[in-house]
Amino acid sequence: MPIQWIHRFDIAAHVPLEGTITYAALAASARVDEALLKRLLRSAMLSAHLFREPEPGRVAHSASSRLLARDADLRGLLEFELTILAPALARTVDAQRKWKFSDAPTHTGFNLALEYPDRPFYSFVAEHQEKRDALDGAFVEFARTEGWAKKHLLSGFDWDSLPAEGKIVDVGGSLGHNSMFLAKEFPKFKFVVQDLPGVATEGKMRLPSDMANTISFQAYDFLTPQPIQDADVYFFQNVFVDHSDDEAVLMLRNTRNAMKKPGAKLIIREPVVPEPGTIPVEDELRIRTFSAIGDAGDELDAEEMFGALP
Ligand SMILES: C[S@@+](CC[C@H](N)C(=O)[O-])C[C@H]1O[C@@H](n2cnc3c(N)ncnc32)[C@H](O)[C@@H]1O
């Protein structure tokens, strides 16, 4: 709750980056109640290392709160976690009771929490600019972690093995951040970023003009037949994890049916739950907490998944 309050009233932005400010001046600047501010900040100082009180009655930034003040993507991650993820997780058990463990994308805690019946999560996001911005920030933050670092995109596949003017389809590619990264390394490739209509339109608008000849955007629902049949690569990152097995199979089938070009490749980069006890406990705990209660997606268990491959 203190973090939610601090985020909602943008307290970090009202604390000077250097030096201190009194609680009274901070409350006046952020237009919040002073007594409540003091209580919640003192709690967050202990629980989340946000802010410091170097002398009684005066507030200064800690390293974490300074980052919060400076980093819009971090604020996006918080917005996503506090206004989408946390309410959805709080209603997930209710959703499972209501819909009897259904894995349909419209039977999730998110549908109950945000009162968004009969539509999947991503169509909600595609229709709400501020939620899209929050999710973007969250993805930028995820991409800063080692597992999602973009450098692995380069080392994970021999891109030089593709034809000089290879065509890459970035399916569910959001605003095209992976394609932009690859385009800088391989400017001769042509990239098509496919996503839901609202996202594709925004991607087109935000695309830097010097990439307009290399990257294009296409509105496409990956649960329908894939329209591009002459690509060298169909690339999916962090997409299957959000969907049920049935939908994942449909997406794969749609892709396979479009892979008409000889030698066309399917590249998948997804989070996988490791076998118990094979990575540090904190990392495993984080992954398992998420995968155990995830929205519509099924857990991608390494043993089960790779065991199922031919
Ligand atoms: C978890 S994000 C991953 C984005 C990107 N691939 C990445 O790794 O950063 C999932 C993406 O799939 C898109 N998406 C969800 N449902 C879709 C659908 N039915 N058809 C096309 N794109 C969809 C979302 O809009 C979102 O951009």
Side-chain angles (χ1 to χ4, degrees):
M1 195 311 239
I3 298 180
Q4 194 173 7
W5 197 89
I6 286 164
H7 173 63
R8 182 53 57 234
F9 295 108
D10 206 11
I11 302 299
H14 296 271
V15 174
L17 289 174
E18 304 300 333
T20 61
I21 183 169
T22 62
Y23 281 108
L26 180 54
S29 168
R31 297 168 184 235
V32 294
D33 180 83
E34 184 185 341
L36 204 51
L37 173 78
K38 194 180 285 180
R39 277 218 311 272
L40 291 166
L41 254 57
R42 284 180 171 167
S43 163
M45 285 173 199
L46 294 175
S47 66
H49 304 290
L50 284 174
F51 308 105
R52 294 179 300 124
E53 191 168 339
E55 56 183 289
R58 300 195 73 91
V59 180
H61 272 302
S62 65
S64 308
S65 63
R66 186 175 291 111
L67 198 60
L68 193 58
R70 284 182 159 159
D71 187 339
D73 295 320
L74 185 60
R75 292 196 296 279
L77 175 64
L78 263 189
E79 175 76 13
F80 166 66
E81 293 197 335
L82 294 172
T83 68
I84 301 178
L85 195 57
L89 290 180
R91 297 302 307 275
T92 295
V93 175
D94 294 337
Q96 291 176 351
R97 285 182 63 180
K98 180 176 165 88
W99 288 299
K100 314 234 175 317
F101 309 109
S102 158
D103 64 359
T106 51
H107 293 170
T108 70
F110 159 79
N111 294 97
L112 291 182
L114 279 84
E115 294 176 11
Y116 197 68
D118 307 328
R119 303 282 299 280
F121 169 72
Y122 278 106
S123 51
F124 172 83
V125 174
E127 287 165 13
H128 292 81
Q129 166 90 46
E130 77 288 359
K131 299 299 178 204
R132 261 197 333 264
D133 290 346
L135 205 59
D136 271 1
F139 285 135
V140 171
E141 288 299 327
F142 294 153
R144 289 185 180 143
T145 59
E146 176 59 25
W148 286 113
K150 288 205 170 31
K151 63 183 178 187
H152 302 307
L153 273 181
L154 295 179
S155 59
F157 178 69
D158 180 9
W159 297 96
D160 287 319
S161 67
L162 297 180
E165 300 203 345
K167 185 185 231 182
I168 288 114
V169 187
D170 185 356
V171 190
S174 188
L175 301 178
H177 60 104
N178 281 324
S179 290
M180 286 186 222
F181 173 79
L182 287 170
K184 285 194 185 122
E185 295 290 326
F186 303 100
K188 290 207 171 142
F189 290 167
K190 297 282 180 226
F191 296 84
V192 182
V193 182
Q194 298 179 322
D195 211 294
L196 294 169
V199 183
T201 305
E202 178 140 355
K204 217 176 283 177
M205 268 164 32
R206 289 204 202 174
L207 184 70
S209 55
D210 61 342
M211 292 201 164
N213 289 331
T214 316
I215 299 179
S216 60
F217 284 83
Q218 181 178 48
Y220 163 61
D221 176 350
F222 49 46
L223 301 174
T224 64
Q226 168 61 257
I228 299 181
Q229 304 198 337
D230 60 348
D232 296 281
V233 168
Y234 297 82
F235 173 67
F236 292 79
Q237 175 181 295
N238 210 1
V239 163
F240 292 99
V241 69
D242 292 329
H243 294 267
S244 65
D245 286 355
D246 288 348
E247 286 184 338
V249 168
L250 180 60
M251 287 148 69
L252 286 170
R253 196 167 281 140
N254 288 331
T255 310
R256 185 194 59 192
N257 292 342
M259 294 173 72
K260 304 279 191 219
K261 188 166 178 180
K265 303 268 185 313
L266 170 66
I267 300 180
I268 297 177
R269 188 183 188 203
E270 291 286 318
V272 172
V273 181
E275 288 172 41
T278 54
I279 59 169
V281 170
E282 322 79 76
D283 294 343
E284 184 173 344
L285 177 65
R286 195 164 28 81
I287 297 172
R288 287 202 181 280
T289 307
F290 209 72
S291 85
I293 50 182
D295 47 19
D298 285 341
E299 175 171 303
L300 294 180
D301 182 276
E303 201 178 2
E304 202 178 295
M305 190 170 87
F306 295 124
L309 293 176

